[in-house]
């Protein structure tokens, strides 16, 4: 909830922009770090969720490692001060130059997603005269009970190596002389709100680790990925996600004999601290009677509703009207799917009003594009207003 002082300060700013609540980000990062320390868990921040420099700097200052999805993300994390020895790098399609860079930087682990990739890592490490530290990203075939667009751990999806293939290929993997398989990794999906899914994940991991060890792999770490969801419906009810519960579940259900346990949260760390502030350009009514509010941002600033059908709570933060109306909020991009929400109740909304599109700190600004040659959105920080 924005204070009157903040709302007044926002009125004079050019829109659209991302507003980051730096106090909330700090409280969230502190909560995750404190709860993880209770169990000795290791935290990586999934950089893809938000690469704003101040956001990265704050998270890094709490000693987090980084989880990266490209060579450029690895570089960005290192430039932001993350220790390479705390960086993990996953991705189904790593280019040779990205693999080479990751090995040269001596990152904690390349989380490898196919046998062919493993062979390429082995070859490149050999050319460099180095040993590459690898985690096996295994596809565990788990339904994460989330939006199917952001589900990454079911058998038919592109992520991870199938468990059966790893078992079948154990000797081939162990014969790769320039690779050290130090751990196993999985990430089953994002925006997981049904926490019992993590219990099931632990059961699968327990079996996978026991079988890998019986095949002669000596694992030091288990990386259970990210995925903890946030409250998009009523963000004010849960500004800091429930790290305590997910850590308690993992602590009590994971039986992997003293190995390091790593997490890679993105959304849960930054989702609630960011909101997209946008201004109303026009109102119009379609021939069918639909009342449209056209705002000055679009899917180029926040693509999640258009891409995944995701919900974001929207509020008019400047209207003083007591009368209400039902509106569909649309953006400026030349795409019919460029709709932020349909049929929502707002106070009477007019040209010049400011709307906030909440819970946009994760996969908002980092997924922005220049389609229609829109400018990339700026960041505004609560402590600089
Ligand atoms: C491998 C990996 N780890 C971690 C994450 C972060 O997920 P979340 O933002 O749901 O925590 C992702 C998200 O796509 C991912 O692909």
């Amino acid at each position: 909830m924005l204070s009157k002082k903040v709302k007044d300060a926002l009125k004079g700013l050019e829109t659209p922009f991302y507003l980051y609540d730096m106090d909330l980000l700090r409280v969230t990062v502190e909560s995750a770090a404190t709860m993880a320390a209770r169990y000795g868990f290791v935290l990586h921040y999934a950089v893809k969720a938000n690469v704003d420099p101040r956001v990265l700097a704050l998270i890094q200052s709490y000693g987090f490692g980084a989880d990266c999805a490209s060579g450029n993300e690895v570089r960005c994390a290192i430039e932001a001060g993350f220790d390479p020895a705390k960086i993990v790098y996953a991705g189904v399609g790593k280019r040779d130059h990205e693999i080479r860079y990751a090995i040269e930087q001596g990152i904690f682990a390349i989380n490898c997603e196919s046998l062919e990739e493993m062979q390429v890592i082995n070859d490149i490490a050999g050319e460099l005269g180095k040993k590459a530290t690898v985690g096996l990203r295994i596809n565990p075939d788990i339904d994460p009970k989330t939006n199917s667009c952001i589900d990454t751990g079911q058998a038919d999806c592109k992520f991870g190596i199938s468990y059966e293939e790893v078992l079948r290929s154990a000797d081939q993997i162990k014969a790769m002389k320039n690779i050290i398989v130090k751990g196993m990794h999985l990430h089953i999906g994002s925006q997981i709100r049904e926490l019992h899914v993590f219990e099931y994940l632990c059961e699968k991991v327990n079996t996978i680790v026991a079988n890998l060890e019986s095949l002669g792999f000596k694992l030091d770490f288990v990386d259970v990925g990210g995925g903890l969801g946030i409250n998009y419906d009523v963000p004010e009810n849960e500004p800091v996600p429930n790290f305590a519960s997910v850590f308690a579940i993992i602590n009590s259900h994971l039986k992997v004999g003293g190995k390091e346990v790593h997490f890679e949260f993105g959304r849960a760390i930054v989702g609630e601290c960011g909101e997209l502030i946008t201004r109303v350009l026009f109102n119009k009514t379609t021939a069918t009677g639909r009342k449209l509010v056209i705002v000055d941002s679009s899917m180029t600033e926040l693509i999640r509703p258009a891409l995944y059908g995701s919900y974001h709570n929207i509020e008019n933060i400047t209207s003083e009207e007591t009368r209400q109306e039902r509106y569909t909020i649309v953006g400026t991009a030349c795409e019919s799917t460029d709709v932020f929400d349909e049929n929502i109740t707002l106070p009477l909304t007019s040209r010049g009003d400011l709307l906030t599109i909440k819970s946009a700190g994760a996969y908002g600004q980092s997924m922005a594009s220049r389609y229609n040659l829109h400018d990339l959105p700026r960041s505004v920080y609560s402590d600089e207003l």
Side-chain angles (χ1 to χ4, degrees):
M1 187 78 83
L2 300 175
S3 66
K4 175 157 185 343
K5 182 172 160 266
V6 171
K7 287 180 187 172
D8 286 344
L10 298 182
K11 280 182 191 162
L13 300 182
E14 194 184 323
T15 49
F17 56 86
Y18 275 91
L19 173 66
Y20 292 112
D21 180 338
M22 299 308 281
D23 289 335
L24 179 57
L25 177 60
R26 185 175 296 282
V27 171
T28 307
V29 170
E30 254 170 27
S31 162
T34 310
M35 307 279 176
R38 278 189 197 164
Y39 305 106
F41 292 158
V42 180
L43 297 182
H44 304 261
Y45 164 61
V47 166
K48 61 181 81 78
N50 190 313
V51 287
D52 174 86
R54 282 206 56 200
V55 168
L56 282 182
L58 192 149
I59 297 169
Q60 185 276 332
S61 74
Y62 280 82
F64 279 56
D67 161 48
C68 300
S70 70
N72 282 348
E73 281 194 1
V74 175
R75 183 172 290 106
C76 170
I78 292 173
E79 285 172 2
F82 287 88
D83 181 353
K86 293 184 181 174
I87 293 180
V88 290
Y89 171 20
V92 286
K94 304 179 186 79
R95 300 172 188 87
D96 291 14
H97 71 85
E98 296 176 301
I99 293 172
R100 187 168 296 111
Y101 177 70
I103 297 172
E104 282 168 349
Q105 296 304 313
I107 68 168
F108 178 76
I110 301 180
N111 286 329
C112 178
E113 308 217 14
S114 69
L115 276 190
E116 194 164 17
E117 178 193 334
M118 209 163 333
Q119 188 62 60
V120 172
I121 297 173
N122 185 57
D123 293 346
I124 293 176
E127 282 160 30
L128 293 172
K130 293 186 183 257
K131 301 260 186 238
T133 309
V134 162
L136 299 174
R137 178 169 182 178
I138 293 182
N139 179 316
D141 192 19
I142 296 176
D143 178 356
K145 310 275 184 220
T146 186
N147 180 335
S148 62
C149 300
I150 49 175
D151 154 347
T152 57
Q154 299 209 55
D156 194 41
C157 85
K158 72 175 182 176
F159 296 101
I161 314 175
S162 97
Y163 176 40
E164 287 70 26
E165 187 175 17
V166 171
L167 298 183
R168 272 199 314 274
S169 317
D171 289 339
Q172 191 188 337
I173 297 171
K174 284 187 290 175
M176 296 185 192
K177 293 288 170 244
N178 308 313
I179 278 184
I180 306 168
V181 177
K182 273 217 169 156
M184 73 145 286
H185 170 235
L186 77 175
H187 170 75
I188 60 169
S190 202
Q191 185 53 15
I192 298 170
R193 294 284 284 170
E194 296 189 33
L195 295 190
H196 61 87
V197 165
F198 289 105
E199 295 178 14
Y200 190 50
L201 176 150
C202 289
E203 286 164 23
K204 284 258 176 162
V205 172
N206 295 343
T207 309
I208 294 172
V209 167
N211 284 336
L212 290 177
E213 293 202 316
S214 72
L215 288 169
F217 289 103
K218 198 194 149 318
L219 307 180
D220 296 342
F221 75 89
V222 171
D223 180 343
V224 294
L228 178 62
I230 62 173
N231 189 339
Y232 283 99
D233 295 330
V234 194
E236 292 78 7
N237 283 356
E238 205 181 330
V240 179
N242 194 350
F243 296 108
S245 294
V246 77
F247 290 149
I249 289 171
I250 300 283
N251 184 57
S252 61
H253 290 79
L254 201 66
K255 308 283 177 218
V256 290
K259 295 184 195 350
E260 276 185 4
V261 180
H262 293 233
F263 292 81
E264 307 167 342
F265 294 129
R267 188 186 312 274
I269 302 291
V270 292
E272 294 294 16
C273 77
E275 47 200 304
L276 177 61
I277 307 294
T278 186
R279 200 177 299 272
V280 175
L281 290 174
F282 308 113
N283 279 267
K284 77 174 173 187
T285 306
T286 65
T288 56
R290 215 153 54 111
K291 291 192 183 312
L292 305 183
V293 167
I294 303 159
V295 294
D296 67 357
S297 59
S298 72
M299 61 195 285
T300 62
E301 285 78 29
L302 178 64
I303 198 174
R304 297 186 69 259
L307 187 64
Y308 308 138
S310 304
Y311 172 77
H312 287 262
N313 191 305
I314 299 177
E315 201 182 308
N316 184 327
I317 54 174
T318 51
S319 171
E320 289 176 0
E321 278 283 351
T322 50
R323 290 169 297 166
Q324 296 191 320
E325 185 58 87
R326 290 189 83 76
Y327 295 111
T328 290
I329 314 297
V330 302
T332 55
C334 268
E335 293 294 328
S336 295
T337 57
D338 183 29
V339 175
F340 285 118
D341 204 0
E342 296 189 56
N343 211 17
I344 59 167
T345 302
L346 292 179
L348 279 194
T349 291
S350 342
R351 176 170 166 82
D353 285 354
L354 287 184
L355 304 190
T356 171
I357 305 180
K358 300 180 204 170
S359 316
Y363 309 106
Q365 198 169 9
S366 63
M367 292 178 99
S369 79
R370 294 217 53 211
Y371 178 54
N372 291 163
L373 289 186
H374 286 181
D375 293 328
L376 289 173
R378 292 178 306 124
S379 303
V380 170
Y381 308 98
S382 58
D383 56 1
E384 292 178 8
L385 284 172

